[in-house]
């Protein structure tokens, strides 16, 4: 039985973590008087009203160094404060994944990871600290961009997160905390064509949109250039036609693509380049951990390699 849920709140300094946690603690779901431990791993301009929180059964413990945040430290906190739940205001420069993989005290479990991002400074961080941002986004369940407005390229913000974590949920708020509906970006190709042709420069955008917008592609046909990957564990009629994609920097390149069944077509050679035309279905597959796109090849033609093997998401 789970006794102590942990809520991990990540993001850079001044990203709105403190304001977010204060709002959550004041919400009806958490203003119940249950003993709560708040581990404060960094402090910005916003502050907590500690005497008020203490009267409500909320204890603040400061963690000055990343190396102090150990299993033993958490166990000591558990014995001293006996919390019913734990909030961690995490330092954005620390490794959240490492903390998440650390052995937790008995019956403690991280149940939610939320990342706060200041939309007004996101482009600056993206230009200078892209790899750190990517590590943060890779280990989160939800990203909330605050202090946004519709003049910003919010679709780019979304693509940046989805490039490293397709399963992450996203939210956008203006400077007053109101939700912004950014809709769905229109793809740069004809989604209503009899065969949707994906140009090389659009492969990354198509890859993300296929996962996010199944209603656009279900039972449609697509055509694109891809490199053949045949994983050993796949069925004999399955392979992945895909591309190498840069998710954050030159040192973080991974192969992306969707499962394809050859049907009546011959299986192409491993690592060969092909021009494929296929029908799109969505099926439950163990490789996806649920439902995802499955391509049914109608034509597989040998092709030359493109000028550049790398695709991008922006």
């Amino acid at each position: 039985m789970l006794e102590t849920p942990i809520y991990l709140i990540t993001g850079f300094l001044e990203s709105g973590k403190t304001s977010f946690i204060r709002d959550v603690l004041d919400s009806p779901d958490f203003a119940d008087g249950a003993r709560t431990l708040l581990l404060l791993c960094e402090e910005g301009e916003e502050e907590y009203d500690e005497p008020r929180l203490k009267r409500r059964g909320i204890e603040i413990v400061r963690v000055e160094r990343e190396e102090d945040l150990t299993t033993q430290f958490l166990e000591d906190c558990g014995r001293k404060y006996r919390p019913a739940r734990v909030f961690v205001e995490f330092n954005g420069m620390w490794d959240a994944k490492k903390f998440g993989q650390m052995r937790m005290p008995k019956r403690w479990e991280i149940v939610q990871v939320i990342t706060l991002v200041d939309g007004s400074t996101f482009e600056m961080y993206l230009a200078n600290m892209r790899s750190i941002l990517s590590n943060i986004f890779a280990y989160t369940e939800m990203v909330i961009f605050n202090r946004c407005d519709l003049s910003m390229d919010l679709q780019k913000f979304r693509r940046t997160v989805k490039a490293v974590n397709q399963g992450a949920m996203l939210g956008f708020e203006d400077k007053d905390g109101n939700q912004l509906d950014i809709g769905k970006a229109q793809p740069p190709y004809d989604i209503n064509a009899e065969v949707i042709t994906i140009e090389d420069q659009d492969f990354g955008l198509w890859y993300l949109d296929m996962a996010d917008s199944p209603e656009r592609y279900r039972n449609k046909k697509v055509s694109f250039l891809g490199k053949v990957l045949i994983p050993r564990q796949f069925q004999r009629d399955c392979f992945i036609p895909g591309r190498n994609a840069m998710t954050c920097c030159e040192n973080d390149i991974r192969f992306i693509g969707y499962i394809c069944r050859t049907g009546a077509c011959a299986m192409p050679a491993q690592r060969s380049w092909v021009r494929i035309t296929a029908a799109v279905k969505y099926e439950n597959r163990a490789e996806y951990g649920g439902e995802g796109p499955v391509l049914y090849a109608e034509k597989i033609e040998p092709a030359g390699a493109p000028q550049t093997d790398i695709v991008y998401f922006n």
Side-chain angles (χ1 to χ4, degrees), residues 8-13 15 17 42 90-98 113-118 122 125 129-145 160-162 164-165 168-169 248 252:
L8 182 63
I9 314 302
T10 70
F12 288 131
L13 188 67
S15 62
K17 298 192 298 291
E42 68 176 356
F90 206 70
N91 188 314
M93 301 302 294
W94 296 359
D95 190 342
K97 183 177 180 180
K98 181 180 178 182
V113 182
I114 299 175
T115 298
L116 279 295
V117 180
D118 181 347
F122 178 62
Y125 279 114
M129 306 178 73
R130 182 182 287 266
S131 62
I132 296 177
L133 269 174
S134 293
N135 290 337
I136 294 174
F137 293 152
Y139 186 71
T140 193
E141 297 168 24
M142 176 181 291
V143 180
I144 300 175
F145 286 92
T160 301
V161 176
K162 291 290 187 175
V164 294
N165 186 346
M169 296 182 289
C248 71
D252 189 7

Side-chain angles (χ1 to χ4, degrees), residues 7 29 34 38 52 92 103-104 121 134 164 182 192 265 291:
Y7 302 90
D29 289 339
L38 172 55
R52 175 176 175 269
R103 181 177 64 84
M104 295 293 148
T121 59
S134 293
V164 294
I182 69 168
N192 296 313
C265 300
E291 187 179 79

Side-chain angles (χ1 to χ4, degrees), residues 151-171:
S151 69
M152 300 175 182
D153 190 353
L154 302 182
Q155 292 292 347
K156 177 183 177 181
F157 293 9
R158 178 180 173 280
R159 291 194 300 271
T160 301
V161 176
K162 291 290 187 175
V164 294
N165 186 346
Q166 280 195 322
M169 296 182 289
L170 282 86

